[in-house]
Amino acid sequence: MNLILLDSSLELIPRDILSHPAVIVNAKKRGKDPHYMILDKSLHYSAMAKLKDKEKRGRPDIVHLSLLNFLYLEHEIKGEVFVHTIDGKIISVRNDTRIPKNYERFVSLVEQLLRYGKVPVDSDKPFMEITSESLGSLKNKYKLAVLSENGEKVSLKKICELGENWLIGVGAFPHGDFSEEVKVNADVFYSISDRVLEAHQVICRLSSACLLFLGFLRI
């Protein structure tokens, strides 16, 4: 199963709010340059008031939980792993990566990634790297099935059967709709539940179903 987290709430603090008191206080507390800090709604809520699409932004914890749920799975079902950010970057994540379980350590890792383009910075084989790909160029390699509450209702087994030529897209943002970039590039929209699920819940349900379907999980 190839996974891509779509419209992920993962970005450095935007230039137009760098001087906001909430950002400055947090930067001093962490001993960081605010130019290279991750936007986090729990810390920068008041600064985000005038940002466009603010309901979709500032939630790196969603990406953290989603990657933890997928990357610590049995290797038998893990294919390619990508993170598509809210500003259109495509991050490639090695599927044997063990990202930090501690959220603060994860944030520091991603801050390095967004500043230098890869982590570890001096490695020829980084485990996370910003690529030159776009969502559109990934379509040269894969078809894209986006999981959405508004999609066609299908069984988990159907998603598991799509195969390695497909990317399974899961929204990694708190509220709002998918971007036009996602809508234009999606081949299909599927729904796997009658209720709205968090991104990590979607990944957990889907991965468990695929492991069961392939015979690696017993219940």
Side-chain angles (χ1 to χ4, degrees):
M1 182 170 66
N2 303 306
L3 175 72
I4 184 165
L5 300 178
L6 296 169
D7 288 343
S8 300
S9 298
L10 206 64
E11 60 181 311
L12 295 176
I13 293 176
R15 185 178 300 275
D16 52 352
I17 64 169
L18 281 172
S19 60
H20 190 279
V23 174
I24 298 301
V25 169
N26 181 231
K28 288 181 177 178
K29 183 177 180 180
R30 296 185 60 205
K32 292 272 190 175
D33 183 337
H35 291 82
Y36 305 115
M37 294 196 323
I38 288 287
L39 184 67
D40 189 324
K41 192 172 185 177
S42 65
L43 301 170
H44 311 127
Y45 179 79
S46 59
M48 292 175 61
K50 295 182 179 180
L51 289 182
K52 182 181 178 182
D53 295 330
K54 60 181 179 293
E55 73 279 358
K56 291 183 67 174
R57 302 169 73 173
R59 290 292 306 277
D61 58 300
I62 295 176
V63 179
H64 183 224
L65 279 174
S66 298
L67 290 177
L68 282 177
N69 270 271
F70 192 75
L71 292 173
Y72 281 82
L73 283 171
E74 289 85 344
H75 67 85
E76 285 87 357
I77 68 166
K78 288 189 298 183
E80 299 288 332
V81 186
F82 299 99
V83 177
H84 165 260
T85 68
I86 197 167
D87 55 354
K89 295 182 179 70
I90 299 291
I91 299 166
S92 175
V93 184
R94 268 185 19 207
N95 68 5
D96 60 347
T97 300
R98 292 293 185 263
I99 63 167
K101 294 181 180 180
N102 178 276
Y103 175 65
E104 291 183 0
R105 287 186 59 207
F106 171 75
V107 165
S108 294
L109 191 73
V110 174
E111 286 172 341
Q112 289 182 48
L113 171 69
L114 294 181
R115 181 175 184 178
Y116 298 109
K118 62 180 181 177
V119 286
V121 175
D122 57 354
S123 174
D124 292 330
K125 295 182 179 180
F127 53 83
M128 297 178 73
E129 183 173 20
I130 299 174
T131 73
S132 60
E133 299 273 15
S134 66
L135 199 55
S137 66
L138 284 178
K139 291 294 302 299
N140 295 324
K141 306 173 186 177
Y142 305 101
K143 291 183 177 181
L144 177 60
V146 178
L147 302 186
S148 166
E149 64 216 62
N150 299 316
E152 175 192 352
K153 186 66 182 298
V154 297
S155 67
L156 288 165
K157 183 179 178 182
K158 181 177 178 65
I159 306 297
C160 297
E161 290 176 332
L162 287 176
E164 60 187 22
N165 294 323
W166 285 79
L167 271 176
I168 310 302
V170 178
F173 53 90
H175 302 289
D177 197 5
F178 286 104
S179 64
E180 286 303 313
E181 182 185 16
V182 171
K183 292 178 182 178
V184 166
N185 285 289
D187 290 284
V188 291
F189 284 89
Y190 288 141
S191 172
I192 60 170
S193 175
D194 292 325
R195 57 183 288 265
V196 178
L197 300 174
E198 300 284 344
H200 68 277
Q201 292 176 311
V202 172
I203 293 168
C204 184
R205 288 192 183 195
L206 184 57
S207 56
S208 296
C210 292
L211 285 168
L212 182 64
F213 174 65
L214 292 171
F216 294 109
L217 184 67
R218 297 284 187 268
I219 58 172

